[in-house]
Amino acid sequence: MTYTRKQLETFLALEDFQEIYAQADALRAETVGDIVHIRALLEFSNHCKRLCCYCGLNATDKKLPRFRMDPRDMISTAQEACQAGYKTIVLQSGEDPWYTPDMIGEVVKQIKKTGMAVTLSCGEHPESVYQYWRDCGTDRYLLKHETSDPKLYATLHPDSSLEARVACLRSLKRIGYETGGGFMIGLPGQTLSTIAGDLLLLQEIGCDMAGIGPFIPHPDTPLREATPGSTELTKRAVALARLLLPRANLPATTALGVLDDAQKENVFSCGANVIMRKVTPNNLKKLYQIYPAAFSDVDIRTGRLETEAEIRSLNRTPV
């Protein structure tokens, strides 16, 4: 569907959003069905060279104990996730130059031998690196734009620019990745017009995935005193994303469950069809916190079974 920025802004401000929720849920059922895809999320490094003001991994945080997983351990964890029933693994890290393109490429090649799809989420890189990783077998790449407002982006990312971020997303799409973008709801200085612009940017790029979650302040960042984002507004943005991108994969983000666990389930009736489950080794989970979040210390197979049961309780089919 096609909407103007003003129309989206008006929708976001509606007193009663139920009709749009119903439209989004019906479109979700028509285009992607009642299946919920469970993705294994492996956070392999919390080192990051970036200075993002909202992120608990930012380079200025000297209190955070840093870790890097050995590539061999990354591969063995992915193999365990495959045996537990996962069909996709998301390899996520801060922007950590210690991992060379060749190292990441070799990890991807080895994981692809399991038959799993591989998503990378490792930040901004030259197009030649993205092409190499694609040639190694990477299927998807997740790179959230966070906000489509250039001035707000510059405030939150003092060492980067929205132009550079969007250029990376366009490169990924051009190379042939299933391309994932996304943004936060409730950033200081954000308006409904900003959110409308975020949604339109996803559509303009042609994102195949979009992670939309509420902003959650981290106590060790410059935004520690800011107010968390609205769960209701987050759900509205997900629903509108479904209308704009009918066949996209839209996750129920972990951040939504941090603020209100019931809302993480409710978002599945607002257009979402994906959920991620951490398979990061238990001793490392607590060290990878972009925002404060609780974590489960169960093993990979148990975690998968728990998530499958949760999805079935919503009358959806886990895959």
Side-chain angles (χ1 to χ4, degrees):
M1 297 184 185
T2 302
Y3 296 108
T4 66
R5 187 174 187 138
K6 190 63 180 177
Q7 284 175 315
L8 292 172
E9 186 178 348
T10 300
F11 291 153
L12 288 165
L14 286 172
E15 184 173 344
D16 185 351
F17 203 78
Q18 293 308 309
E19 183 177 341
I20 295 178
Y21 281 143
Q23 290 176 14
D25 194 42
L27 186 58
R28 183 272 314 155
E30 176 187 336
T31 56
V32 297
D34 289 334
I35 289 171
V36 174
H37 299 277
I38 311 174
R39 314 295 198 201
L41 175 61
L42 176 58
E43 301 146 328
F44 63 90
S45 171
N46 70 350
H47 286 260
C48 191
K49 66 181 184 181
R50 294 291 190 179
L51 304 175
C52 307
C53 293
Y54 51 81
C55 182
L57 307 187
N58 79 81
T60 63
D61 186 350
K62 305 303 181 184
K63 295 189 296 183
L64 177 66
R66 304 284 177 166
F67 74 87
R68 292 184 176 106
M69 286 185 68
D70 185 285
R72 292 167 296 185
D73 294 332
M74 294 167 63
I75 294 164
S76 63
T77 301
Q79 291 169 337
E80 186 178 352
C82 181
Q83 293 166 1
Y86 289 99
K87 295 179 173 60
T88 294
I89 189 161
V90 181
L91 304 178
Q92 185 176 77
S93 70
E95 287 200 21
D96 184 359
W98 185 84
Y99 293 91
T100 66
D102 285 344
M103 290 168 68
I104 297 295
E106 187 59 33
V107 169
V108 171
K109 289 178 185 178
Q110 295 302 317
I111 293 176
K112 290 294 288 186
K113 292 179 180 180
T114 68
M116 298 177 83
V118 177
T119 300
L120 288 180
S121 182
C122 309
E124 296 177 18
H125 294 275
E127 184 167 322
S128 59
V129 173
Y130 290 146
Q131 182 66 64
Y132 172 68
W133 287 339
R134 179 77 176 127
D135 294 341
C136 289
T138 308
D139 302 277
R140 308 181 181 110
Y141 202 99
L142 177 60
L143 185 69
K144 294 183 179 181
H145 67 262
E146 305 300 6
T147 177
S148 60
D149 180 331
K151 291 182 179 179
L152 181 56
Y153 191 97
T155 300
L156 298 171
H157 308 85
D159 58 342
S160 183
S161 71
L162 178 62
E163 182 181 13
R165 197 72 158 186
V166 172
C168 286
L169 283 163
R170 296 195 195 285
S171 291
L172 292 163
K173 188 69 178 178
R174 183 167 53 248
I175 290 168
Y177 281 93
E178 287 187 38
T179 303
F183 55 92
M184 285 181 282
I185 298 291
L187 287 167
Q190 184 186 68
T191 65
L192 294 184
S193 180
T194 313
I195 298 170
D198 291 328
L199 290 163
L200 289 173
L201 181 59
L202 294 177
Q203 186 181 46
E204 179 194 339
I205 292 169
C207 287
D208 306 284
M209 311 177 284
I212 302 170
F215 161 69
I216 300 175
H218 191 290
D220 297 324
T221 66
L223 299 184
R224 64 180 68 87
E225 302 296 334
T227 302
S230 161
T231 57
E232 172 62 24
L233 195 53
T234 300
K235 291 193 301 174
R236 292 184 177 203
V238 172
L240 290 171
R242 174 59 67 198
L243 298 183
L244 293 169
L245 300 165
R247 304 201 66 85
N249 284 320
L250 302 177
T253 61
T254 306
L256 194 59
V258 169
L259 293 182
D260 186 341
D261 195 54
Q263 298 301 334
K264 187 177 71 173
E265 297 181 357
N266 289 343
V267 78
F268 285 116
S269 63
C270 305
N273 70 314
V274 174
I275 192 167
M276 293 190 189
R277 179 83 192 213
K278 291 191 180 193
V279 297
T280 308
N282 286 329
N283 64 316
L284 302 180
K285 285 178 182 175
K286 63 184 177 182
L287 302 180
Y288 196 97
Q289 294 207 19
I290 295 172
Y291 49 81
F295 59 91
S296 170
D297 61 359
V298 299
D299 61 77
I300 291 176
R301 182 174 294 278
T302 300
R304 168 83 191 193
L305 292 173
E306 287 178 352
T307 304
E308 288 181 358
E310 179 183 353
I311 291 168
R312 289 193 182 97
S313 73
L314 303 174
N315 296 316
R316 298 290 177 83
T317 303
V319 172

